[in-house]
Amino acid sequence: MLGGAATAAVMLFKSSYGKMIQAAIPESVLQSADPTKTIGPPPGEIGTRSAFEHVVKKTSDISSRTPLQDLYGVITPSDLHYERHHAGVPVIDPHKYELLIHGMVNKPMVFTLADLKRFPSVSRICFLECSGNFRNSKETLTPQEICGLTSQSEWTGVMLSTLFREVGVQPKASWFLAEGGDAAIMTRSIPVKKAWDDAMIVYAQNGEAIRPEQGYPVRLLLPGWEGNTSVKWLRRLELSDQPYMTREETSKYTYAVKDSIRQFSFEMDARSIITFPAFPQQVAKGWIEIRGIAWSGWGKIVKVEISTDAGKTWQAARLQEPVLDKAHTGFRYLWQWNGDTTEIMSRAIDETGYTQPTLQQLVNARGTDMGGYHMNPITAWVIQRDGKVLFKPEKWK
Ligand SMILES: Nc1nc2c(c(=O)[nH]1)N[C@H]1C(S)=C(S)[C@@H](COP(=O)(O)O)O[C@H]1N2
Ligand SMILES: [Mo]
């Protein structure tokens, strides 16, 4: 539509999400037309990534991995959050959504999504990580391939303790079962003490409703604990005085570093990864800002150390503030590379005093038959003389 005398032309634009948009261009814009400047489409209903950016997840049939090497800061854009699901992404109508809490409670209750949103809400930034988040098969692996089964969001919802007070969890109840609405056999038993601590029932992620891939409309969020306990598409919590011994809980491979072998190894131990420089980048001699992220399921990261001489000496990296509890924490270290072949590595230290181990230390603690879960070893990048960066795979079997 031509609106008023000031409009000189109507132009047609293809918006970045494909729709054709008609826009009236004011006379003043046309008159000052400078060929080195461009006229673009008007505001759209939804923003999009620049057409020049090709940042994508790496997918398989069962998971998709966050491109850690392509991100800035510590919030994972929601559409790049890793995914792990065992029966696909179910479509759940939020108007029909219900969460049942029953078992050892005084008052079994069903909560709709609207009910959940009426409770006092909280937001927190924390990471999520799959316990199977480690690959080290070859030199040509990117950070995404090595450990892209971790992402970080700001989550909003209600504290599980609020709901547990509402239903009157009985003093003898020490475990609860969390069940999703998808066909996956991912039901998990969770100690009730996690609910009194920091467990959340979340319905929002990075400022909007959580994505279907992350559990829309509601998921359980257990900060710092292995991803599979944060049950998505949550529909039922049942309180009990013992664990339910679901399939996941009778598996042979349930290891954590702290006490070597445990049936329930919930916390994700401290870990870090250098995301720059990394394969497949090539660097030049001179100053290089080594960058990466570190995180721990036990609390805050207090220190990240960098070695640029294959682990002989270590120096402290700078941590990006604010350093949050159970959260991806950015680190940086300025390094002057002299052009000789070397190996660079990082190690995270958390507030419990725990230091990220070498692969050899993991093997010493657990043996070689450790199944591949809770693998958080220090990893190295080899910088070749030509500046090419390669991952250093280490075998443990
Ligand atoms: N209902 C349900 N919850 C689930 C899963 C699943 O398959 N079904 N996968 C679990 C696993 S193994 C992980 S690592 C996390 C992944 O969460 P994300 O896909 O939001 O990253 O969800 C967990 N919760
Ligand atoms: Mo997982």
Side-chain angles (χ1 to χ4, degrees):
M1 193 203 75
L2 288 171
T7 301
V10 171
M11 291 172 78
L12 208 54
F13 297 96
K14 188 173 178 185
S15 81
S16 37
Y17 54 101
K19 202 163 133 186
M20 295 308 290
I21 314 172
Q22 244 189 28
I25 309 298
E27 174 111 43
S28 57
V29 170
L30 284 185
Q31 275 172 359
S32 69
D34 171 340
T36 66
K37 295 185 173 182
T38 52
I39 297 175
E45 288 169 332
I46 197 157
T48 55
R49 205 155 279 144
S50 162
F52 297 101
E53 297 294 319
H54 302 288
V55 183
V56 290
K57 295 197 263 192
K58 218 174 172 79
T59 61
S60 73
D61 288 348
I62 57 166
S63 68
S64 67
R65 299 169 162 262
T66 293
L68 298 172
Q69 66 281 355
D70 299 322
L71 303 186
Y72 305 91
V74 291
I75 297 294
T76 310
S78 299
D79 60 2
L80 295 174
H81 195 287
Y82 87 91
E83 290 166 63
R84 177 77 181 90
H85 28 79
H86 299 70
V89 179
V91 176
I92 295 172
D93 181 345
H95 303 292
K96 293 187 186 134
Y97 175 79
E98 288 184 339
L99 172 64
L100 166 67
I101 306 184
H102 67 148
M104 293 177 71
V105 301
N106 295 334
K107 193 170 53 151
M109 286 177 80
V110 170
F111 300 93
T112 65
L113 185 56
D115 292 337
L116 294 177
K117 288 182 179 173
R118 282 183 56 206
F119 284 100
S121 59
V122 273
S123 296
R124 100 171 266 176
I125 294 169
C126 64
F127 75 85
L128 201 64
E129 182 179 20
C130 179
S131 55
N133 191 22
F134 182 57
R135 275 192 192 162
N136 72 338
S137 53
K138 53 185 182 188
E139 291 177 325
T140 53
L141 291 179
T142 63
Q144 178 173 28
E145 291 166 308
I146 297 162
C147 61
L149 292 177
T150 185
S151 310
Q152 177 151 283
S153 295
E154 183 207 55
W155 303 97
T156 298
V158 48
M159 296 305 294
L160 183 53
S161 55
T162 304
L163 300 183
F164 274 12
R165 275 188 210 99
E166 194 73 11
V167 297
V169 164
Q170 292 167 6
K172 286 219 172 86
S174 49
W175 292 81
F176 67 91
L177 184 81
E179 182 187 83
D182 57 331
I185 320 168
M186 287 304 298
T187 309
R188 289 299 317 258
S189 306
I190 312 293
V192 165
K193 67 171 168 26
K194 184 67 172 169
W196 300 129
D197 179 14
D198 61 1
M200 288 172 70
I201 298 292
V202 297
Y203 44 74
Q205 172 187 13
N206 298 335
E208 60 178 348
I210 60 173
R211 300 262 161 156
E213 299 83 358
Q214 265 65 63
Y216 184 88
V218 172
R219 87 179 300 164
L220 180 63
L221 179 74
L222 303 185
W225 285 20
E226 53 181 30
N228 65 67
T229 59
S230 286
V231 174
K232 301 190 277 189
W233 313 295
L234 186 69
R235 69 171 187 189
R236 190 169 73 91
L237 298 174
E238 184 180 346
L239 281 293
S240 171
D241 56 3
Q242 57 194 6
Y244 288 76
M245 302 313 291
T246 64
R247 192 189 61 153
E248 294 297 307
E249 293 153 4
T250 46
S251 156
K252 181 174 157 216
Y253 298 117
T254 46
Y255 293 93
V257 178
K258 293 223 154 181
D259 23 324
S260 185
I261 299 173
R262 294 186 296 182
Q263 186 173 16
F264 296 101
S265 43
F266 291 127
E267 288 87 354
M268 295 306 293
D269 293 312
R271 187 168 184 183
S272 64
I273 178 92
I274 292 173
T275 53
F276 181 85
F279 176 79
Q281 289 139 359
Q282 184 165 13
V283 291
K285 212 161 112 172
W287 289 105
I288 294 172
E289 187 178 64
I290 296 176
R291 301 172 189 147
I293 50 168
W295 64 99
S296 168
W298 296 91
K300 287 184 185 174
I301 290 294
V302 292
K303 200 173 185 185
V304 174
E305 293 178 326
I306 302 291
S307 176
T308 56
D309 56 9
K312 285 188 214 69
T313 61
W314 296 86
Q315 271 81 39
R318 278 182 304 134
L319 300 185
Q320 175 66 57
E321 294 289 339
V323 175
L324 301 174
D325 187 36
K326 302 169 187 171
H328 285 173
T329 302
F331 66 80
R332 303 184 176 94
Y333 179 78
L334 261 186
W335 172 49
Q336 196 167 24
W337 182 43
N338 65 10
D340 290 340
T341 298
T342 191
E343 284 173 27
I344 60 169
M345 42 186 88
S346 61
R347 68 181 179 201
I349 297 149
D350 71 19
E351 63 179 322
T352 70
Y354 172 90
T355 301
Q356 186 182 357
T358 60
L359 187 64
Q360 191 55 52
Q361 286 169 326
L362 284 179
V363 170
N364 293 347
R366 307 176 191 172
T368 52
D369 182 28
M370 63 179 121
Y373 294 101
H374 287 268
M375 298 291 295
N376 63 328
I378 294 170
T379 50
W381 298 106
V382 179
I383 316 283
Q384 301 187 135
R385 283 198 70 86
D386 60 2
K388 288 205 173 111
V389 185
L390 287 175
F391 178 64
K392 187 185 178 193
E394 285 181 275
K395 287 273 166 279
W396 80 82
K397 299 185 214 224

